[in-house]
């Protein structure tokens, strides 16, 4: 039994991560590859509980430091209970957000990248995806998509302003520049089928 591959999808809100995670799983299934789709924060029972704490309430509910610890704790549970067992059983894992979200979102609040990676090494034994696909779309366009879907309701992150989201986008681009083998930027401003084709091209070398 060979270990499965681990893919993460990253990007701003409304970029199409959930849509593409489901589409990728379908394409992989058609090629005989079994994949689970999961998400962060969340993905395991304990981590879904932490998700409610992180996304609900007002912006000031958690400091950037507390938030970083909560994301790392949720991820540790998700990795241990769901991601590693799936990979070890030979399944592929498609994760809607992973540690690069902490690096981009909490990094945009002046949390040191080295500290985030140290927490990840401690909590999740430093597990990194085989490939990370960052879906890039203008924040206004992504925000409009999410607002239509959620009928205008905003979570703690959606309530933040355009400067914050620009810093997050810059954070993702910085990670991609530093880790070009693992992290690929994908233009997500296109119809869903075109974006899926772009994702498949970016993982072509991983496919059997
Ligand atoms: N966060 C963090 O700070 N640190 C961390 O470590 C982690 C997360 C893990 C989680 O929010 C928040 O937590 C997130 C970062 C922070 N906040 N922000 N911003 P979430 O899980 O509730 O939501 P999200 O991750 O931001 O994603 P989203 O808003 O759910 O969007 P999405 O998954 O990228 O998009 P979608 O649901 O696939 O599509 C949105 C809508 O657009 C939907 O109606 C689709 O049908 C439509 N859509 C999708 N693709 C297209 C295309 N190609 N064209 C047109 N319309 C489309």
């Amino acid at each position: 039994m060979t270990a499965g591959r681990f893919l993460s999808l990253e990007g701003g809100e409304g970029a199409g991560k959930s849509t593409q995670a489901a589409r990728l799983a379908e394409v992989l299934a058609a090629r005989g590859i079994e994949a689970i789709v999961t998400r962060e924060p969340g993905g395991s029972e304990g981590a879904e509980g932490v998700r409610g704490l992180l996304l609900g309430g007002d912006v000031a509910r958690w400091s950037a430091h507390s938030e970083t610890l909560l994301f790392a704790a949720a991820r540790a549970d998700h990795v241990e209970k769901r991601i590693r067992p799936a990979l070890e059983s030979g399944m592929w894992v498609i994760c809607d957000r992973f540690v690069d979200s902490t690096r981009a979102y909490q990094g945009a609040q002046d949390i040191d990248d080295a500290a985030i990676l140290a927490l990840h090494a401690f909590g999740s034994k430093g597990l990194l995806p085989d490939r990370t696909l960052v879906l890039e779309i203008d924040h206004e366009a992504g925000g409009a998509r999410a607002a239509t879907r959620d009928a205008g309701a905003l979570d703690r992150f959606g309530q933040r302003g355009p400067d914050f989201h620009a810093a997050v986008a810059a954070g993702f681009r910085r990670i991609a520049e530093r880790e070009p083998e693992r992290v690929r930027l994908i233009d997500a401003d296109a119809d869903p089928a075109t974006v899926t084709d772009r994702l498949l091209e970016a993982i072509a070398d991983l496919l059997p």
Side-chain angles (χ1 to χ4, degrees), residues 39 41-53 74 77:
R39 69 168 181 186
S44 61
E45 191 186 336
E48 287 291 332
V50 179
R51 178 184 175 91
L53 296 175
D77 190 67

Side-chain angles (χ1 to χ4, degrees), residues 47-105:
E48 287 291 332
V50 179
R51 178 184 175 91
L53 296 175
L54 276 162
L55 300 191
D58 63 33
V59 172
R61 181 179 194 185
W62 304 108
S63 72
H65 285 83
S66 314
E67 197 170 89
T68 301
L69 291 166
L70 286 169
F71 278 115
R75 182 164 304 123
D77 190 67
H78 185 206
V79 167
E80 185 189 334
K81 307 263 177 57
R82 187 117 192 263
I83 297 180
R84 277 196 199 279
L87 293 173
E88 283 165 8
S89 76
M91 278 195 272
W92 284 45
V93 173
I94 302 169
C95 193
D96 184 343
R97 296 193 181 280
F98 195 62
V99 68
D100 297 303
S101 275
T102 310
R103 301 172 74 189
Y105 280 83

Side-chain angles (χ1 to χ4, degrees), residues 70-167:
L70 286 169
F71 278 115
R75 182 164 304 123
D77 190 67
H78 185 206
V79 167
E80 185 189 334
K81 307 263 177 57
R82 187 117 192 263
I83 297 180
R84 277 196 199 279
L87 293 173
E88 283 165 8
S89 76
M91 278 195 272
W92 284 45
V93 173
I94 302 169
C95 193
D96 184 343
R97 296 193 181 280
F98 195 62
V99 68
D100 297 303
S101 275
T102 310
R103 301 172 74 189
Y105 280 83
Q106 281 60 56
Q109 298 165 80
D110 289 335
I111 300 294
D112 185 42
D113 198 50
I116 293 168
L117 292 175
L119 279 176
H120 188 58
F122 175 72
S124 300
K125 300 198 177 105
L127 178 71
L128 286 177
D130 294 295
R131 185 76 23 93
T132 293
L133 304 157
V134 179
L135 273 55
E136 291 202 299
I137 188 173
D138 175 70
H139 172 62
E140 271 187 31
R145 282 184 188 172
T148 306
R149 182 199 55 196
D150 302 335
L154 294 173
D155 65 26
R156 281 186 62 245
F157 293 90
Q159 291 172 37
R160 297 178 201 215
D163 289 352
F164 175 74
H165 291 286

